[in-house]
Amino acid sequence: MVNYDLREKSSMNIESKKISINTPAKAVYDFVSSFNNFSRLVPSQIEGWQSTDDTCSFKVGGFMQIQLRMAEKTPYSKVVVAPDMQTASSFPFQLIVSMDEKNGSTDVVVSIKIEGNPMMLMMVKGKIKPALDSLVEQLKYFVENKN
């Protein structure tokens, strides 16, 4: 039997599949650099979505309030989202949208760096990868169709 020290911290990096969006990196960056655009990407379990360009807050499952902020914006190549420092997060993480323009199209990968105890990370790993893949697919749809 494996015993985990719940105070022990570990980290994990999970990446979505790489997807090519048929538009220049500027269009992708303009979309992902504002939380006001994210309302179209959030799943149905998200309630009470509120956003500005640089912050957002919402509830998951009707009980857990989450507040996020744009932690870093590098035009046309990277956007980093992190928990708002004003709120306590039970597990620190960063959501990173990486963009690489080639011949008028943009390759995009969404990744998450998450910290927590090893048992918790193992429990969430299987759910995060499909969520990231879905997020990048939706991003492609909305940016290409300018919806």
Side-chain angles (χ1 to χ4, degrees):
M1 179 171 173
V2 177
N3 289 323
Y4 289 106
D5 181 347
L6 295 179
R7 296 166 297 180
E8 180 183 339
K9 295 288 181 185
S10 186
S11 64
M12 180 181 298
N13 187 33
I14 304 167
E15 289 189 350
S16 72
K17 60 186 172 185
K18 183 191 298 186
I19 197 159
S20 183
I21 300 178
N22 297 320
T23 189
K26 181 183 184 321
V28 178
Y29 175 82
D30 288 348
F31 188 93
V32 298
S33 63
S34 172
F35 278 121
N36 290 326
N37 295 322
F38 276 55
S39 63
R40 295 176 251 173
L41 302 176
V42 297
S44 59
Q45 301 92 324
I46 300 297
E47 300 171 358
W49 177 268
Q50 296 180 340
S51 64
T52 67
D53 280 341
D54 292 322
T55 64
C56 73
S57 64
F58 54 91
K59 286 187 178 180
V60 178
F63 66 93
M64 190 166 117
Q65 182 74 25
I66 296 178
Q67 294 179 324
L68 303 175
R69 65 181 171 80
M70 293 286 177
E72 179 184 337
K73 294 181 182 180
T74 306
Y76 321 129
S77 64
K78 181 167 71 169
V79 172
V80 179
V81 173
D84 191 326
M85 301 308 271
Q86 303 298 319
T87 62
S89 175
S90 58
F91 46 92
F93 70 92
Q94 289 186 324
L95 181 76
I96 302 141
V97 180
S98 301
M99 298 157 265
D100 183 25
E101 185 175 338
K102 294 178 182 170
N103 301 320
S105 289
T106 306
D107 290 338
V108 178
V109 174
V110 178
S111 61
I112 190 165
K113 291 182 181 179
I114 187 169
E115 294 180 10
N117 73 60
M119 182 187 282
M120 186 273 303
L121 293 177
M122 291 300 288
M123 289 173 31
V124 300
K125 181 180 182 178
K127 295 180 183 201
I128 291 175
K129 171 79 166 118
L132 294 177
D133 287 343
S134 175
L135 179 65
V136 79
E137 289 282 353
Q138 290 178 37
L139 175 62
K140 175 183 174 70
Y141 175 80
F142 285 113
V143 172
E144 286 183 350
N145 293 294
K146 296 176 179 63
N147 286 327

